[in-house]
Amino acid sequence: TTLEKALAQSLSLEFRRVQFTPDLLPSDIVGTSVYEMNRGSFEFRPGPVFTNVLLADEINRASPRTQSALLECMSERQVTNDGVTRKLPEAFMVIATQNPLEFQGTYPLPEAQLDRFAMRLSIGYPDEDAELALLADRERRDPLEEIQPVMDGAEIQELHRRSREIGLEKSVAAYLANVIRSTRNDGRLVLGCSPRALLTLADCARAAALLDRRDYVMPDDIRRLAPVVLAHRLRLSGESRYAGLRPEDILSEIIGAVKIAGVLLGGTLLAETVIGAALFRQQAGVFAVGIPTLGLDIGCHGAADVGALVPGQTGGLQRIVDNVGGALDQTALIGVFNAQDKGAAVMAGLKISI
């Protein structure tokens, strides 16, 4: 609850909390129509869902009927009551918690509702240093009282608009779609990812690229976000559960096996492919994306090695290729070097034969 309050306060958003219990009704969330005797008509009383940040605390304690009241809100950002549809605020999000230990009197969330949550995060216990900091912060004051807004709803909407302008190149989009389809064809899963999961992961990858000050999505964005965006949407088969597998384990294998632009993302390089330390550009569009894990596999080469890549010089890249046992086709180097991209080379048309 403190985390959600701090988030809403730092973004100048309205925050409401609903404690889900077995006797909670859908009208307690979305609102209801009340008869006004003075007017002789029914008047709609909005529920707590008409806010910016809604905390559904212990959501699995409510009945499926009550849980379903959030389906329209989360999917279409609107509420329909007595045949009248009312829009929710543009800046709207639902944060739900579940108690992982107590299962008596709880109702597991159906797949349709789990699919509407963009991410699932497991916070866990803080470490020793964090707990000591908690004690120190609360000796004389409540830290929430000192949180100052850093942006408002209008700025959030502007960031949302800018994120939709982030480029998703065809090969990266194909990689994303292949990851989603692979979850449906894995025999260890009885339920794979839906088209909604595809769109959600694409939106999250665009947002990650925007926060990283890039105007394009990289495969590494997808790989980094896939566990928190996709894992809660997967359903294991009975054999997989008895074998002790987790959805995250299967998802990790799928991500490592799906190929993009002739590169096996697990670290094995295929012959005659286009690869690099960061990414490649062709005029305004990205036509192939390099693999950041390549830098990790060969010792995290940074600006010191890649920095030698200027037109007409290939020494820096030659050292990288030597370390992975390959040979550089120097005649294919037709690019430019951008020293501002975190020390990584941004090249056009660089081809390496491994």
Side-chain angles (χ1 to χ4, degrees):
T1 303
T2 303
L3 177 63
E4 281 78 27
K5 282 185 177 179
L7 175 65
Q9 190 169 332
S10 63
L11 299 178
S12 299
L13 298 177
E14 182 183 6
F15 168 81
R16 291 187 181 180
R17 173 183 176 272
V18 177
Q19 178 63 51
F20 278 60
T21 57
D23 60 347
L24 194 70
L25 297 176
S27 58
D28 296 329
I29 300 175
V30 299
T32 186
S33 296
V34 179
Y35 183 73
E36 294 287 345
M37 296 185 61
N38 296 334
R39 300 180 181 179
S41 61
F42 284 91
E43 180 180 347
F44 179 73
R45 300 281 181 85
V49 74
F50 286 86
T51 186
N52 298 123
V53 180
L54 175 67
L55 172 60
D57 207 358
E58 295 188 295
I59 189 175
N60 57 332
R61 292 198 178 279
S63 66
R65 176 190 177 192
T66 302
Q67 293 176 9
S68 65
L70 290 174
L71 293 179
E72 183 183 16
C73 305
M74 298 173 65
S75 179
E76 303 174 43
R77 299 193 178 189
Q78 65 184 29
V79 169
T80 301
N81 179 272
D82 293 337
V84 179
T85 299
R86 297 173 174 86
K87 292 292 184 180
L88 295 175
E90 288 294 329
F92 173 76
M93 67 182 302
V94 176
I95 302 176
T97 64
Q98 292 191 104
N99 192 325
L101 299 178
E102 301 176 12
F103 294 100
Q104 293 183 352
T106 62
Y107 303 86
L109 269 66
E111 287 76 9
Q113 187 164 355
L114 284 173
D115 200 26
R116 283 166 170 77
F117 283 98
M119 296 182 181
R120 183 184 66 182
L121 304 175
S122 179
I123 299 177
Y125 289 111
D127 57 25
E128 181 180 357
D129 292 338
E131 289 186 325
L132 291 175
L134 287 175
L135 292 174
D137 288 342
R138 286 161 174 77
E139 284 186 354
R140 297 182 178 86
R141 66 192 186 283
D142 184 358
L144 281 176
E145 298 176 357
E146 299 184 359
I147 294 180
Q148 299 298 322
V150 295
M151 64 174 59
D152 55 25
E155 292 175 300
I156 294 175
Q157 291 302 309
E158 174 62 18
L159 289 175
H160 184 262
R161 183 195 63 79
R162 289 173 55 188
S163 70
R164 293 193 173 276
E165 298 176 354
I166 301 297
L168 186 65
E169 194 270 334
K170 289 184 179 180
S171 65
V172 181
Y175 168 66
L176 170 58
N178 287 337
V179 169
I180 297 297
R181 285 195 297 268
S182 296
T183 64
R184 305 169 189 163
N185 301 325
D186 196 300
R188 297 168 293 181
L189 300 172
V190 295
L191 179 65
C193 294
S194 67
R196 180 180 282 112
L198 172 76
L199 298 176
T200 302
L201 184 52
D203 289 342
C204 292
R206 288 189 174 98
L210 178 64
L211 293 176
D212 203 29
R213 298 184 179 182
R214 286 184 277 111
D215 60 356
Y216 51 87
V217 173
M218 296 176 62
D220 204 51
D221 297 324
I222 298 170
R223 299 179 68 194
R224 185 175 70 254
L225 292 170
V228 295
V229 175
L230 303 182
H232 66 282
R233 309 169 194 266
L234 306 177
R235 284 293 175 266
L236 298 173
S237 65
E239 295 81 358
S240 298
R241 290 198 304 270
Y242 293 136
L245 292 177
R246 303 179 306 157
E248 291 83 356
D249 300 328
I250 298 176
L251 189 59
S252 178
E253 294 181 19
I254 291 175
I255 294 173
V258 176
K259 303 174 183 177
I260 178 174
V263 177
L264 184 65
L265 291 182
T268 303
L269 304 179
L270 303 182
E272 201 67 13
T273 185
V274 181
I275 65 174
L279 77 153
F280 301 83
R281 286 182 177 273
Q282 185 181 37
Q283 297 178 354
V286 180
F287 71 92
V289 180
I291 311 304
T293 52
L294 175 64
L296 298 175
D297 293 339
I298 59 178
C300 295
H301 288 274
D305 282 333
V306 186
L309 269 174
V310 295
Q313 300 183 17
T314 58
L317 184 61
Q318 185 66 62
R319 290 195 297 274
I320 294 179
V321 175
D322 288 343
N323 285 335
V324 295
L328 171 66
D329 181 6
Q330 298 186 13
T331 60
L333 180 58
I334 56 172
V336 297
F337 173 62
N338 183 354
Q340 297 179 350
D341 196 295
K342 294 185 178 180
V346 179
M347 299 157 285
L350 175 62
K351 181 175 291 187
I352 304 176
S353 299
I354 301 297

